[in-house]
Amino acid sequence: MDITRLIIVAVGGQGNLLASRVIGETALLSDVPVRMSEIHGMAQRGGVVESAIVFGDAESTIISDGEADLLVGFEPSETLRALNKCNGRTTVISNLSPLSPFTVTIGKAVYPKLSQIQELIRAKTGRLIAFDARELAEKAGNVMAVNMVLVGAMAQTGILPLTVENFKEAIRTKTKKAFADINLKAFDLGFAEAEKAG
Amino acid sequence: MHKLLTDSPGQKMLLLGNEAIARGAIEAGVAFASTYPGTPSSEISLSLFQMSKESDLYFEYSTNEKVALEVAAAAANAGVRAMCMMKHVGLNVAADVLMTLAYLGCKGGMVILTADDPFMFSSQNEQDNRYYAKLSGLPLVEPSSVEEAKEMMPYAFDLSEKLGEPVLFRTTTRINHSNAVVRLGNLRERKCKGDFVKNPFAYVCVPAVSRKLHVRLLENMDSAREEAEKSPFNLQKGEGKWGIICNGVSYNYAADGVKDLGTEDKVRILRLGFSHPLPEKMIRDFLGNCEKVLIIEEGEPVLEEAVKAIAQEAGLMLPIRGKTPELFSRLYEFDPAMVRKGIATCFGIPYAAPAVPDLSDLPEIPQRPPTLCAGCSHRATYYAVKKAAEGKDTIYPSDIGCYTLGFLPPLSMADFVICMGASAGTACGFSKVTDKKVVAFIGDSTFFHSGIAGLINAVFNQHNFTLVILDNGTTAMTGHQPHPGVDMTKLNMEGYGRISIEAVVRAIGVEHVTVIRPFRVGKSIEAVKEALDFEGVSVIISQEICSLYAKSLKEHKGRPFRVNPGKCKNHRNCIDDLACPAFYLQNERVMIDPELCWGCAVCAQICPENAIVPVKK
Ligand code: SF4
């Protein structure tokens, strides 16, 4: 089976690990070989969290520079920071709602312009799908559902060897019961948004 | 029921490496487990801790790794299957036990797990603990994948019982923190009660006994070598005149690399999962089939040196490559592209490097280092010490924990950090040979772990410094595990004692001891000043619960604060001195994020304009 490589980057607390978990469970449901690794970097203390997910017949659980097929950034400056994982064919999905690092919020560093971030990513990769996932999560009923919005967008690209039905089944069974409906709605909104991006 | 206790062999489950290891131990019938928490091993013990609450498995968080290993060693020598796990540097602490336990051996199966951390994702060094197998003479197994980590656990227990000695089980971060689909196996029954039969000439390591036991250890190594020769975990793959010998996660990158390069018919791989003692015959035969061999191993050239020695003895002249400037480094971790390139370079295979886009025109992206949480008591304590020490020339030896994060500006409150417990010991040396004021910091869990000995030393040798014990009621950094000073009733757990840090410090004979509440800023500064003025050893115990822990216990009572824009004169002392993540600037004015603010009120106390006030209910 062909190998597909996905990198997800996020800031601690954005629910990246749950997103990876849902993707892993989806692969298990789909009988697609999957391996993933996580670097937490003291997630709960505001550090960066990175997951690498490898589908198909590979033994490795990590992804080298330039080898991601899909990069998903939960935060725009983190998407930019992870560009070293991409190549000219990589598809990039990025949330456009920034979470400023502390140095920026106290005026000791500057956050790059969102337009500049998007231009740079577009110029250096195959394709960029960028939108405000936070807004869609709020629309779905909970800002914490940013992760499921982005999972929906990932599903829409068709890059991952997984079906929408299985994604939904995994969300239904592997995320908290109380949030399942919100999560499914978030997934749909993310899916539709990526579709719009054409 | 805990998911890892599921009794349905054959079922597939997506598991974290550390969960898979814990499951493997349960499948092996482990009945006794001890640890001191440390990343990347912590979720193994967390899983066992959780399972112990709903089964007859015994689990404990021990005071430190040395104690943990002693506790487990006794259980295993009473015939119970025991496991002891720790991070790589923890084995340094336990090494004294390890080295002679290797002479004593064990009756019940015993597995000692060391979680190494190449690249130092969360450690102070990246030592390669395979050397401990060589140093102690104990067998070593090392899985390459999450699935194999689970499979290897029952094997390691059986092997230990067969050989009558503990087996070392080495993982690296990329095993511990990877996820994969694991097929559950059968659960073996736990035997929780054992018995110890006296036999001083086998168990009391006086010189006369040890001289005999060392002979047995060497004989055991021969038996272990025979086991390694036939171990299913020493496997070969592929055909060809080019050979790769590898271990652990390097195997994954090697196997993928050979495939990507389209050289499966030219390269044979020997993967050593049972890597000490080495299966010498197997390696000799492998070398005999090769014209050139590449050794792929993260860390030190352990395999490389051994394989070269085997080749030399067998009179084999083939080139054997490994750690050289153009191939592999001893530094950090490997990755698939690096290994693919190494294989191509070594064997002269055409190779195209992945096309990473040119990123030289990227703007500077602001860093996002982890910081102390909003409401973290350490920030308040650091502030008090800094104020109290104003005008004094200071040295701040510190220790291992969340508080180490305070080394960054603007707090800049750590000058010297080596290992667990070293703040108290190093403070002794600094205070003796310099004329500076030495103030050392240590966490509560770390104090129990190994700080106590340093403090005793200080009192006995009459050193002159202040030790600040940051008592936040938990082992915060590794995920809020208990320690001997923790109130276990808060976790709804009975049957535990509780040791008072203050009573210990007083009993040691420290004459100047003060307990402070760091959120009371003025009082704390005064108390620290007095401690700094004291000639001799003084101790400040700074008590305030870790805010993240309080949140998980639903104990948080504080009310958020806000900046009154009418009063704020924009001095920004609050931001500059405290760097609390709840602050932000809006139109160049200081604001407080009510979602993040903990309500500790430290900033409200230091604002010269009294502009920071509670949010009205
Ligand atoms: S987890 Fe606790 S000790 Fe660690 S930084 Fe957060 S509040 Fe401080």
Side-chain angles (χ1 to χ4, degrees):
Chain A
M1 187 182 170
D2 280 354
I3 298 166
T4 309
R5 297 184 174 90
L6 162 66
I7 295 266
I8 306 179
V9 287
V11 176
Q14 283 194 300
N16 166 14
L17 298 182
L18 180 64
S20 314
R21 179 119 214 123
V22 163
I23 295 166
E25 294 287 353
T26 309
L28 175 56
L29 282 173
S30 321
D31 238 347
V32 168
V34 67
R35 306 183 167 281
M36 22 198 236
S37 69
E38 297 157 356
I39 288 301
H40 312 167
M42 294 191 88
Q44 287 179 302
R45 290 133 194 105
V48 181
V49 191
E50 181 188 299
S51 309
I53 309 182
V54 184
F55 306 88
D57 296 321
E59 308 286 342
S60 306
T61 66
I62 60 176
I63 297 171
S64 299
D65 285 1
E67 305 208 321
D69 298 297
L70 180 60
L71 166 68
V72 180
F74 282 35
E75 200 283 338
S77 73
E78 293 310 325
T79 317
L80 190 64
R81 204 196 304 278
L83 268 195
N84 57 315
K85 293 289 175 193
C86 299
N87 58 51
R89 291 177 315 279
T90 307
T91 295
V92 180
I93 300 175
S94 185
N95 178 11
L96 284 182
S97 160
L99 283 174
S100 289
F102 186 63
T103 43
V104 172
T105 55
I106 60 165
K108 301 245 157 83
V110 248
Y111 194 95
K113 283 209 179 65
L114 283 181
S115 56
Q116 187 193 13
I117 292 180
Q118 295 180 72
E119 268 162 40
L120 283 162
I121 299 174
R122 268 202 193 93
K124 292 172 195 297
T125 62
R127 179 176 176 218
L128 171 66
I129 302 170
F131 55 88
D132 187 337
R134 191 189 152 96
E135 196 185 299
L136 294 181
E138 272 169 359
K139 210 161 136 194
N142 189 339
V143 281
M144 290 307 294
V146 163
N147 53 2
M148 294 303 134
V149 171
L150 290 162
V151 170
M154 286 181 225
Q156 193 278 334
T157 63
I159 295 171
L160 308 181
L162 310 170
T163 64
V164 170
E165 290 69 46
N166 283 340
F167 267 117
K168 291 194 168 175
E169 177 66 17
I171 293 173
R172 254 191 302 274
T173 53
K174 298 293 168 185
T175 67
K176 283 211 184 88
K177 288 261 157 358
F179 295 115
D181 287 338
I182 291 174
N183 284 337
L184 286 169
K185 193 163 171 208
F187 177 92
D188 284 337
L189 288 172
F191 190 98
E193 195 66 30
E195 219 161 26
K196 265 193 254 163
Chain B
M1 191 183 59
H2 197 282
K3 70 175 179 189
L4 297 179
L5 289 171
T6 309
D7 189 9
S8 61
Q11 186 187 327
K12 285 179 173 178
M13 233 184 230
L14 181 69
L15 293 183
L16 182 68
N18 279 342
E19 292 173 328
I21 291 166
R23 170 68 189 194
I26 293 292
E27 288 181 9
V30 71
F32 196 100
S34 56
T35 195
Y36 182 83
T39 316
S41 78
S42 304
E43 298 87 355
I44 309 172
S45 42
L46 178 67
S47 303
L48 292 170
F49 180 43
Q50 289 164 344
M51 285 188 273
S52 73
K53 294 185 201 168
E54 41 184 288
S55 69
D56 55 0
L57 165 72
Y58 177 80
F59 173 86
E60 73 168 50
Y61 284 112
S62 308
T63 320
N64 63 30
E65 293 87 351
K66 179 175 182 287
V67 175
L69 190 52
E70 291 157 353
V71 170
N77 271 294
V80 169
R81 284 199 162 190
M83 178 171 174
C84 184
M85 66 231 91
M86 56 196 74
K87 71 182 289 167
H88 60 333
V89 287
L91 199 50
N92 301 335
V93 179
D96 202 5
V97 190
L98 181 79
M99 295 304 296
T100 307
L101 178 61
Y103 283 32
L104 277 179
C106 59
K107 221 165 89 195
M110 178 170 188
V111 172
I112 302 167
L113 184 139
T114 159
D116 291 12
D117 190 18
F119 193 70
M120 301 162 274
F121 288 102
S122 45
S123 306
Q124 64 267 42
N125 75 27
E126 56 176 350
Q127 67 185 51
D128 188 332
N129 273 9
R130 291 178 296 165
Y131 279 127
Y132 270 115
K134 218 173 163 177
L135 190 62
S136 64
L138 290 176
L140 173 75
V141 294
E142 22 177 358
S144 292
S145 68
V146 170
E147 303 93 305
E148 202 177 45
K150 183 188 81 74
E151 299 306 322
M152 238 180 211
M153 209 28 103
Y155 175 81
F157 274 100
D158 289 346
L159 181 68
S160 164
E161 254 163 43
K162 193 165 180 183
L163 296 170
E165 60 187 1
V167 168
L168 286 165
F169 194 107
R170 175 187 181 252
T171 60
T172 53
T173 306
R174 295 299 186 173
I175 302 277
N176 301 98
H177 287 170
S178 282
N179 286 271
V181 177
V182 167
R183 198 178 284 275
L184 302 185
N186 291 311
L187 294 175
R188 285 199 231 167
E189 215 179 302
R190 271 183 294 281
K191 182 181 157 241
C192 299
K193 268 283 162 239
D195 189 22
F196 178 69
V197 185
K198 292 187 190 203
N199 182 1
F201 290 97
Y203 291 126
V204 179
C205 283
V206 295
V209 174
S210 290
R211 281 181 205 119
K212 294 207 183 79
L213 294 180
H214 195 187
V215 174
R216 193 185 65 183
L217 174 63
L218 297 187
E219 287 166 3
N220 268 2
M221 275 177 71
D222 290 337
S223 317
R225 193 180 308 282
E226 279 165 37
E227 293 294 329
E229 297 283 1
K230 56 180 195 225
S231 170
F233 293 108
N234 288 335
L235 43 96
Q236 298 193 39
K237 182 176 158 160
E239 291 291 327
K241 291 282 167 205
W242 295 334
I244 288 174
I245 301 180
C246 54
N247 71 325
V249 292
S250 305
Y251 165 73
N252 306 328
Y253 314 146
D256 287 350
V258 167
K259 206 155 77 178
D260 293 345
L261 292 165
T263 47
E264 282 153 299
D265 54 339
K266 296 197 183 72
V267 183
R268 62 176 68 222
I269 299 179
L270 172 59
R271 199 295 307 263
L272 297 166
F274 185 156
S275 59
H276 187 266
L278 281 170
E280 287 179 3
K281 185 176 171 305
M282 186 186 284
I283 293 172
R284 236 180 355 255
D285 293 348
F286 183 85
L287 295 177
N289 284 320
C290 297
E291 284 168 0
K292 188 174 190 180
V293 163
L294 176 63
I295 316 278
I296 309 182
E297 56 187 327
E298 284 178 339
E300 301 300 320
V302 180
L303 285 176
E304 183 181 341
E305 286 170 1
V307 170
K308 282 177 175 168
I310 291 169
Q312 201 272 344
E313 264 187 39
L316 295 167
M317 300 300 287
L318 76 168
I320 297 169
R321 300 279 178 268
K323 305 277 174 186
T324 65
E326 56 290 349
L327 294 171
F328 295 113
S329 166
R330 294 153 86 134
L331 296 172
Y332 314 143
E333 66 166 1
F334 288 1
D335 68 74
M338 173 199 288
V339 169
R340 194 186 314 137
K341 178 167 172 234
I343 297 170
T345 310
C346 177
F347 299 115
I349 306 163
Y351 161 80
V356 184
D358 173 17
L359 300 179
S360 55
D361 59 341
L362 250 49
E364 201 174 321
I365 307 169
Q367 292 302 313
R368 205 184 286 274
T371 47
L372 297 174
C373 303
C376 176
S377 51
H378 301 331
R379 181 180 292 107
T381 309
Y382 282 150
Y383 180 81
V385 173
K386 211 177 199 170
K387 282 287 153 199
E390 240 166 27
K392 288 197 167 71
D393 219 351
T394 51
I395 303 175
Y396 297 125
S398 191
D399 228 296
I400 311 264
C402 280
Y403 48 96
T404 321
L405 295 175
F407 90 101
L408 287 175
L411 296 172
S412 309
M413 291 301 279
D415 297 323
F416 198 73
V417 172
I418 311 181
C419 64
M420 290 288 289
S423 56
T426 54
C428 297
F430 283 126
S431 69
K432 205 80 214 169
V433 302
T434 71
D435 292 326
K436 297 191 172 168
K437 187 71 220 172
V438 177
V439 185
F441 295 96
I442 192 165
D444 41 1
S445 191
T446 311
F447 178 71
F448 285 114
H449 176 283
S450 51
I452 291 179
L455 185 60
I456 291 174
N457 181 69
V459 172
F460 172 64
N461 287 306
Q462 295 206 336
H463 289 290
N464 179 20
F465 65 87
T466 301
L467 179 67
V468 181
I469 303 175
L470 302 156
D471 180 6
N472 63 358
T474 186
T475 313
M477 167 119 110
T478 46
H480 304 107
Q481 292 84 354
H483 65 65
V486 165
D487 179 359
M488 294 297 277
T489 58
K490 282 192 180 176
L491 299 166
N492 294 321
M493 293 191 65
E494 282 171 16
Y496 289 90
R498 188 177 178 196
I499 291 93
S500 149
I501 293 178
E502 185 183 350
V504 170
V505 171
R506 290 194 190 277
I508 287 173
V510 177
E511 283 170 28
H512 190 103
V513 186
T514 329
V515 177
I516 62 167
R517 308 291 304 192
F519 291 166
R520 292 183 198 147
V521 179
K523 272 192 176 171
S524 297
I525 295 173
E526 283 316 308
V528 177
K529 269 190 188 149
E530 279 172 29
L532 298 189
D533 288 341
F534 183 80
E535 268 298 308
V537 181
S538 56
V539 167
I540 296 275
I541 304 170
S542 181
Q543 280 177 349
E544 184 61 51
I545 189 168
C546 157
S547 59
L548 203 55
Y549 183 53
K551 215 184 263 174
S552 75
L553 294 176
K554 308 215 166 22
E555 267 194 13
H556 178 215
K557 296 183 204 79
R559 211 177 348 147
F561 281 65
R562 67 181 180 94
V563 180
N564 177 344
K567 278 186 157 184
C568 170
K569 295 228 172 83
N570 227 350
H571 312 280
R572 300 195 190 164
N573 295 31
C574 47
I575 290 188
D576 294 342
D577 292 352
L578 297 175
C580 173
F583 289 119
Y584 65 99
L585 291 181
Q586 196 170 56
N587 303 325
E588 290 300 305
R589 304 293 304 194
V590 180
M591 309 285 285
I592 294 175
D593 181 343
E595 293 292 312
L596 284 179
C597 177
W598 184 254
C600 70
V602 171
C603 57
Q605 294 167 68
I606 72 166
C607 172
E609 310 297 336
N610 288 321
I612 302 178
V613 291
V615 171
K616 287 199 197 74
K617 278 208 180 130

